[in-house]
Amino acid sequence: MRWGRRAPAGPTGRSLTLAMGRGGVYSSFMTEKPFASSADLADRQQTLEVLADGVYALTAEGDPNVGAIEGEDFLVCFEALATPVAARAWLERLREHTDKPVRHLVLSHYHAVRTLGASAFGADVIVAHDGTRKLITERGRQDWASELARMPRLFREPASIPGLTWPDVTFSDRLTIDLGGDRGELVLAHCGRGHTEGDLVAWLPRHRIMFAGDLVESRAALYTGDAFHRPWATTTLDRVAAFGAETLVGGRGAVTRGREAVEAAIGQTRDFLTTMLDRVGRVHAAGGTLKEAFAAAHAALEPRYGRWPIFEHCMPFNVSRLWDELSGVDRPVIWTAERDREVWNALQS
């Protein structure tokens, strides 16, 4: 593990202007479908569930899930939400059950909707994978502007964000937190490249509960715009499954309970990925176009997944990233507000 430092605030003013589309920046980009989730402005019903003694999950009808685990005299929180204002609302719900201070805030990966609310927690230590620190350094500002434009509803009072969130402790393989007393331990593990190259899961062996981040979704579409499709669909999900979780909190969707249901959620995630690999791969191998690959993947996935949260939002970015992989681009190209619109208009118009 290693220690990190805090960084200065926020994306540049220009990036924020682009993200918010002020001054007619995108006036020449008109599409038939509203951009990403920009028109998704309806509130979601949040549900706080007690999964076991001192283990909590907050789900919200397909919005990002968060969680918390009680130690003997402290809390470990999992995920930070998009803004401090959004995070404080979650903490107010949590305080109905426990008043223990937050010692550790665990970030499953680098995406803005998972990290930028961190200042609300007052955590002693922010923990993430080595790859997450690298990605925040490399593309955190661009991701902030990109996600604000894609999902404005999740950014409650974006002006409350003090800056990028930087982990204090990072690790490469596993990190174990002793919860104290008879509460056992919390294991943080990197299972391989997947949703990003820095994903981690949080595992409670005592209760056989896993917080999987966006490596597994339960009845929610996958976002793969920063993914590594082949390892995610194979070795990474194999390692997730090997824990044998009996309760799983995915990145989005309802809590999954029971070994059979957990296996089904992992299977759904794998099927989404393998279908994309197959359909996009066929078009790529035949010398087709990105637009044709998008149409083929959309047609194959829509009957099963089309009504699930963020499906239409995700698909252009998913197919674009997979097309790059098949073309030999190992690491994802950085998504900027400008590039987001270019891809959306090329594929969803």
Side-chain angles (χ1 to χ4, degrees), residues 143-211:
D143 183 70
W144 177 350
S146 168
E147 295 209 337
L148 175 59
R150 291 184 188 185
M151 296 173 280
R153 179 175 54 79
L154 299 183
F155 286 81
R156 293 177 56 189
E157 298 187 31
S160 67
I161 303 169
L164 293 173
T165 298
W166 293 90
D168 301 302
V169 172
T170 67
F171 65 96
S172 60
D173 183 28
R174 287 197 176 203
L175 185 150
T176 300
I177 298 172
D178 183 355
L179 297 174
D182 62 353
R183 290 190 171 272
E185 61 186 20
L186 176 68
V187 178
L188 307 180
H190 177 61
C191 296
R193 286 174 153 188
H195 174 71
T196 71
E197 59 190 303
D199 298 282
L200 61 80
V201 301
W203 169 239
L204 280 164
R206 178 183 176 190
H207 300 295
R208 308 201 69 77
I209 295 172
M210 174 177 284
F211 291 86

Side-chain angles (χ1 to χ4, degrees), residues 214-242:
D214 282 320
L215 282 175
V216 180
E217 307 291 8
S218 175
R219 298 189 64 81
L222 271 62
Y223 175 72
T224 72
D226 297 296
F228 299 82
H229 291 78
R230 285 197 179 96
W232 187 2
T234 55
T235 55
T236 298
L237 282 179
D238 289 346
R239 290 169 185 154
V240 171

